Every structure is written in structure tokens, then in C-alpha cells.
Amino acid sequence: MKYKEKKLDKILKTALLLDIEPEEELNRSILEAWKENSSMKKDRKRKVAIAVAACMILATGSVLAATKYLKMGEVAEKSGIEMEHSFSEENVTEINETKEAGEYRFTLLGIASGEAWVQSSLSQQITDLQGMYAAVAIERLDGTSMADTSDEQYAELRFFISPLIAGLKPWQYNIVSMNGGYTDIVEDGILYRLISCDDIALFADRELYLCISDTVFYDTNAYQYDENSGKISRNTEYDGINLLFSLPIDASKADRAAAAAYLERLEQSWTEDSKDEAEGLEEVEKLMSQLEILLADGKYEEALTGFIAVGELSVIAPDKDGTYCYEYSDETECTVSYFYPANFINGRDYMISYGDSEDGWVKVIILVLTENEDKTVTVQRYEKKNELN
Amino acid sequence: MTYQEFAELIETEGRSIYVFCCHLAGEKEEADELYQETMLKAVERFGQIELSKNPKSFLLGIAVRIWKSKRRKYLHRQQIAPEESLDQKVFEIDLAGTKDSPEEIYLSQELCKLVRTEIAALKEKYRISVYLYYSLEMSVEEIAAALHIPKGTVKSRLYKARAIIAKKLEEYGYEV
């Protein structure tokens, strides 16, 4: 059996052997593009990343005529994102609401939804981004500049900014799970974050929020979710930044049927993987049941079809408590099986189990126990791996 | 990340990433594009700190995400203009000189092509794990880190993939 597995491993390795390298010209063009991007950053200071977060305690909230900030359309433009009909004034709902927390002032500039696209300056590739957008300005309360996206200190900043939906568990439904991402730019010492995710306007008949916390991902300590009302609120005991803005999306954009279909699709995508992963183990469990039936009926030969005997026969005597101890080891670990006087039928009994083998495959093990006249038990181990479909 | 650091990253990890892109895309042009985008995205998206932890897993994770987001475009392009596959271009060269032992004789070019075809027909999640495990010889732990999935999930995917391939080969009359 082991020989067979090694053979299959060898076949797979040989079949996938690829003695190939990227052409020098290709690597050169990548390095050139990096240089070009790097020099562009001096002007545009652009950085793209996936969902994340950052900093401290809440103070006050106010709505300002934020003339000193870039408009949402300008943030998008400088981030290299264009929207159909652009992020124009009629497309964007301006909010300009400011809240302070920790060392920072956060201003929710506005929100928009629709279809947009990004043209990468590096690869000339256009990526469609359809969904909801929100722009937030972040500045330091002491007036010092935010770290530029090319600075090392920028990597230390952690701001998790995400839309949340009343009635949906926030730790399950947030920017990470709803196919979101963000773009950061720094202009005149102010960090602007443009976030995007699937369009939550479908849920506009519920309360919609934008959370800002100082965590890497959504933190259940920072917010409270009322299972009965579906409302999401700040945890006032939280020692850190846990802001919560309301998102004023026009309730007429709500579409309950589409929202339900979206949730179904989303949840399906989450469960698809785990279902498939379970398949393999389900098959093992099924085999185990079949083996149990055969062995209980004394059909050892049939049950052991496809199994191979591993190791030498072991003769085990019971200890003073009458317990038998069978010990064996493979390449990576030592396993000890304990059993009490077995229920011998025609002088034989069995134990079956399964687990990961040393090379990552599921291994089914049958111990066949043969009763001896002197109260000892002879044990032969049989194993089977990779035979399930 | 400095220019020098980026150049070193390409030097040390570039080949592995490129091999993986070749397997995934199956076409040289698409593989080049995927590789280029992966390397640039890595710099664009993340700082030096994250890269220094486990650059290979990190880059492969990016390649997978890009591939998944772009595959419809790639598939569409392949339908419009079928290109010479990597099978024809590359694998033939690799098999030269592997016929020294009886074992290697057994691993004929025909069998390898068949195996590659069957691997290509696997569900994407199984296929990706197989490429990472057998082609890049990554450990289960490294694959789990690259794909952001538990180790048990990686094992399960590899187990399933092996079982499928073994069954197919047996159907074709090969003893495995």
C-alpha cells in the first residue's frame, strides 16, 4: 500500500515537473513598472490594500461643511477609480460627519453606489468594481501629518472601516465577507480611505452603519449586536476606537427580493467549501459503518479486502487491571491503543479507527485481535489509505 | 520596500510563483500576465513586514486571488484564440532524460500528459492544492498559510484529489 502511494506521489510529481523560469525580459518589465509606480507615488501617494482597521476612544460627533477635505470624487480620482457618470455631485451622497476618537478625527465624506472601474497604472488592466463606496478622511488631532502610504509607519496603522447592516450579524456580514476592499491615499497630511463592497443599498429599508475600529478585522468586543432588534451599537466599555456612523442610503433603493437572493448567494459561497471538505470524511465514516457491519458478522476476509497488514504480530498480555495495551509507531508518531478483554467471537475481535496519516491522507486502521489460551491477545494491524472516492 | 528588496524578492521567489502561474493558467501569455500582476500587486498592496514573514505563501495567495477574479476573462480569451498549451511547449522538455530507471520508463510522457489532463479537470480548489503540494513541494502548513484555510482542509483537498486521480488512472488501465 505504501509502495502504491509512493508511486502515485511520484507520478504526480513527475507529471507536474516544470523546469521553467520567467523570462528575463518579463522580470525586467516588472521591475521597471515598480520603479514607475514608485516615482508616481511621490505625486499621487497611492496605496491599495484589502480590508483592515485602527485607533482610540470616542469623543464627539458633528456635521461640518468640510471645505478643507477632498471631495469623494476627488478621492476616487486620485485613487485611480472612475465611476460611470463619475463620482459626480448628483451621484454622491455627501455626509461630512466628523467624530473624534483616540488621536484621530474621522470624517465620513460621503457614499455612492453603482458601477466603477479601476485602470491599473501598472498593468493597464481594468477591473470592474460594482457596489457601494464610502470615503473617510482621517487626520491626527495634534495636527501632525498622517504617515504617507510609502512610509514604514503607515504599515503600523490599523483602521477597520466597514459597512454594517442591522439584522445581520456584524461579525459575519462586513467588508471582508461582502467582497470588499479599500484604497488609501494621503493628501496634505490627511489620510483618505475609499472603501468598497457589495452594494448594501438593497438593505436600505434597515438601519445601515459604517463602523471604524482599531482592530485588524471586525472585533466583537468593539460593538454590540442585539439579536432581537438586530440593532448594532458601540460597546461603551471598549478600550479603543469603536466609532459608528449611520449611512443615509435612500430607503427606496431597498429591494427585499434581491437582498434575500444576495444573502443566499453569499451564504452559499461560505458553506460550499466546508461542505466539500466534509465529503471526504463522510466517505470515511460511511466506510467505517460498512466495516463495522462486516466485522460484527465475522466477515473478516471481506472487510480486510484492500487493506494490508502492517508491522509484525504482537502478543500482548493484560496488565494488573486487565487492560491490554497495544503500541505501534509509524514514521512520525507513536500510537497507543488500550482495550479491555474483548468480546471474542470464534476467538477473534477487532478495533477500527481512522485518522490522518503521516503524509496527510486519511488512514483507516483495523486491529484484528486473536484470543490465545494463556489470556494473551495477538494483534495484527491492517491499514488502508487513499482508496476512497 | 526598496527597489533592491523587490529585485531580491523576484530573484528568490519569482521562479516558484511563475511555475504556479503556468500551472494555473496553462498558457504562457496568461501565465506571464498572472505572474506580472501578482508581483506588482504584492508591492502595491502590502508592506515589507508582511512580505518578510513568508513571502512565497503570501505571493501564491495573491496569485490565487487574482486568478479567481480574472479567470472568466482568461477562459473567454482562450475560447476566442486557443493558444499553444504549456503541455506542448514545456513539459516535453522536462521529460527528457527521465528514462534511466524502470520506474521512470513507466512514467512515460503519455502517462504524464494524462495525469495533467486529469488534474486540470479537478475542481479548482483541489487543483490548486495539488499544484502547490506536488509541483512547488510546499508543506501542508505552507499551503494552508497561502490559501488562508485550515491544515485539515488542505489535507482533505489533497486526499480527495489523489483519490480521484488514482481512480481515473485505474480506469485507463494504469496500475497505481
Side-chain angles (χ1 to χ4, degrees):
Chain A
M1 191 63 172
K2 200 167 280 278
Y3 169 75
K4 280 186 178 180
E5 281 162 12
K6 283 186 176 166
K7 193 153 100 178
L8 181 58
D9 280 343
K10 189 171 170 60
I11 291 170
L12 286 163
K13 274 186 186 173
T14 307
L16 293 175
L17 185 69
L18 242 186
D19 187 15
I20 190 170
E21 289 191 24
E23 289 167 5
E24 275 183 31
E25 182 56 35
L26 179 60
N27 278 341
R28 203 174 307 127
S29 70
I30 292 171
L31 287 165
E32 284 303 314
W34 183 88
K35 268 191 202 169
E36 189 187 325
N37 183 45
S38 193
S39 62
M40 279 171 60
K41 276 185 178 170
K42 286 174 189 165
D43 301 324
R44 301 228 336 223
K45 298 170 182 165
R46 174 166 174 250
K47 179 106 177 177
V48 183
I50 55 169
V52 178
C55 293
M56 287 174 195
I57 305 248
L58 182 78
T60 55
S62 62
V63 178
L64 302 171
T67 50
K68 69 170 178 173
Y69 299 119
L70 293 176
K71 287 186 176 297
M72 185 172 179
E74 293 172 312
V75 176
E77 189 187 337
K78 287 174 183 291
S79 302
I81 297 174
E82 290 180 49
M83 194 171 214
E84 198 173 14
H85 311 301
S86 77
F87 284 91
S88 57
E89 283 182 11
E90 59 270 26
N91 245 0
V92 173
T93 303
E94 284 199 21
I95 299 172
N96 294 321
E97 183 181 355
T98 291
K99 292 178 190 287
E100 292 175 0
E103 300 168 8
Y104 303 96
R105 180 181 297 119
F106 300 88
T107 302
L108 173 56
L109 298 172
I111 52 174
S113 63
E115 198 169 348
W117 59 89
V118 178
Q119 175 144 23
S120 166
S121 57
L122 299 169
S123 61
Q124 301 301 310
Q125 217 145 36
I126 293 173
T127 306
D128 293 326
L129 296 168
Q130 189 165 9
M132 171 261 182
Y133 295 80
V136 176
I138 305 167
E139 60 193 315
R140 295 183 69 90
L141 289 174
D142 63 8
T144 56
S145 293
M146 295 294 288
D148 192 277
T149 54
S150 57
D151 293 344
E152 281 186 16
Q153 295 93 320
Y154 170 80
E156 291 163 18
L157 290 177
R158 291 286 182 266
F159 298 107
F160 180 73
I161 303 180
S162 169
L164 302 175
I165 303 165
L168 295 179
K169 291 170 183 166
W171 56 90
Q172 285 185 343
Y173 300 88
N174 56 52
I175 190 167
V176 178
S177 57
M178 295 191 292
N179 303 306
Y182 71 70
T183 300
D184 279 352
I185 57 166
V186 177
E187 287 284 324
D188 299 326
I190 298 172
L191 173 69
Y192 292 91
R193 175 166 296 185
L194 185 69
I195 67 157
S196 71
C197 69
D198 293 337
D199 196 351
I200 61 167
L202 298 173
F203 299 92
D205 54 349
R206 310 178 186 201
E207 201 167 350
L208 302 173
Y209 315 86
L210 186 86
C211 75
I212 302 177
S213 69
D214 55 351
T215 50
V216 176
F217 294 110
Y218 179 83
D219 188 340
T220 50
N221 296 316
Y223 300 93
Q224 290 166 330
Y225 176 67
D226 186 327
E227 297 265 1
N228 296 319
S229 67
K231 279 190 178 299
I232 296 165
S233 57
R234 294 178 51 245
N235 175 10
T236 52
E237 304 294 314
Y238 181 69
D239 184 18
I241 292 176
N242 62 344
L243 299 175
L244 200 61
F245 291 86
S246 282
L247 292 178
I249 297 180
D250 185 356
S252 68
K253 290 183 177 175
D255 184 335
R256 290 194 174 183
Y262 167 72
L263 288 178
E264 196 178 334
R265 279 199 308 278
L266 198 61
E267 285 160 18
Q268 205 172 5
S269 71
W270 299 340
T271 54
E272 195 185 30
D273 269 6
S274 53
K275 223 163 54 183
D276 281 351
E277 304 327 334
E279 262 175 40
L281 293 180
E282 273 174 20
E283 287 171 15
V284 176
E285 295 283 4
K286 198 173 155 190
L287 174 73
M288 297 289 281
S289 304
Q290 291 166 348
L291 290 172
E292 279 280 1
I293 293 167
L294 291 171
L295 291 165
D297 284 350
K299 297 175 180 170
Y300 281 76
E301 281 183 15
E302 196 177 334
L304 290 169
T305 304
F307 282 77
I308 55 164
V310 181
E312 295 178 354
L313 284 174
S314 299
V315 178
I316 308 165
D319 65 13
K320 60 180 171 41
D321 299 322
T323 307
Y324 292 82
C325 172
Y326 172 65
E327 191 175 338
Y328 65 94
S329 56
D330 53 29
E331 288 150 24
T332 57
E333 61 183 1
C334 178
T335 304
V336 183
S337 293
Y338 295 98
F339 51 90
Y340 291 100
N343 181 26
F344 292 105
I345 297 173
N346 296 329
R348 286 197 299 189
D349 197 8
Y350 63 90
M351 287 180 66
I352 58 175
S353 62
Y354 73 88
D356 293 340
S357 72
E358 72 279 2
D359 49 3
W361 318 122
V362 175
K363 177 165 66 178
V364 180
I365 299 163
I366 299 178
L367 300 183
V368 175
L369 318 174
T370 307
E371 187 179 30
N372 300 318
E373 285 181 357
D374 60 356
K375 300 279 184 191
T376 59
V377 171
T378 301
V379 181
Q380 176 65 64
R381 187 168 94 251
Y382 295 87
E383 291 184 0
K384 179 178 185 176
K385 291 196 279 183
N386 305 315
E387 290 289 306
L388 305 172
N389 299 312
Chain B
M1 174 173 273
T2 65
Y3 177 84
Q4 188 57 34
E5 285 167 339
F6 186 46
E8 280 173 17
L9 181 75
I10 289 180
E11 176 71 26
T12 54
E13 305 298 343
R15 187 189 167 274
S16 293
I17 307 304
Y18 187 68
V19 166
F20 180 63
C21 292
C22 287
H23 280 306
L24 217 48
E27 305 281 353
K28 188 179 180 304
E29 189 189 329
E30 311 300 2
D32 283 1
E33 197 176 318
L34 181 60
Y35 169 70
Q36 181 176 27
E37 210 177 333
T38 298
M39 301 309 282
L40 291 173
K41 191 65 78 181
V43 179
E44 203 178 59
R45 285 192 164 191
F46 296 91
Q48 186 184 347
I49 296 168
E50 277 200 75
L51 278 173
S52 65
K53 283 181 191 165
N54 189 343
K56 194 205 272 185
S57 290
F58 179 73
L59 291 166
L60 290 166
I62 292 179
V64 169
R65 283 196 291 280
I66 293 173
W67 169 253
K68 284 183 175 176
S69 67
K70 301 283 169 62
R71 63 190 157 189
R72 252 184 299 178
K73 184 194 79 176
Y74 288 139
L75 289 174
H76 177 65
R77 191 185 291 179
Q78 282 172 25
Q79 278 175 347
I80 295 169
E83 294 163 50
E84 192 181 9
S85 75
L86 282 170
D87 236 327
Q88 290 161 290
K89 278 189 176 173
V90 181
F91 289 110
E92 284 173 13
I93 303 163
D94 299 325
L95 289 166
T98 61
K99 298 185 177 179
D100 298 337
S101 69
E103 186 70 19
E104 282 160 344
I105 290 168
Y106 177 77
L107 295 172
S108 65
Q109 200 162 329
E110 194 183 337
L111 172 61
C112 287
K113 272 187 183 175
L114 182 62
V115 170
R116 286 196 293 275
T117 304
E118 292 304 331
I119 291 171
L122 290 172
K123 277 186 181 178
E124 189 169 80
K125 58 188 166 194
Y126 301 141
R127 195 156 48 94
I128 286 171
S129 297
V130 166
Y131 289 147
L132 295 174
Y133 189 80
Y134 287 105
S135 179
L136 300 193
E137 300 190 343
M138 290 172 72
S139 67
V140 168
E141 286 78 9
E142 285 176 315
I143 298 171
L147 302 180
H148 301 290
I149 55 176
K151 283 188 285 183
T153 304
V154 177
K155 287 179 181 179
S156 169
R157 289 181 184 184
L158 288 169
Y159 156 73
K160 185 89 178 172
R162 279 173 58 101
I164 293 169
I165 299 296
K167 188 184 176 196
K168 288 282 180 189
L169 292 181
E170 280 169 1
E171 281 173 9
Y172 285 115
Y174 288 97
E175 188 194 337
V176 291

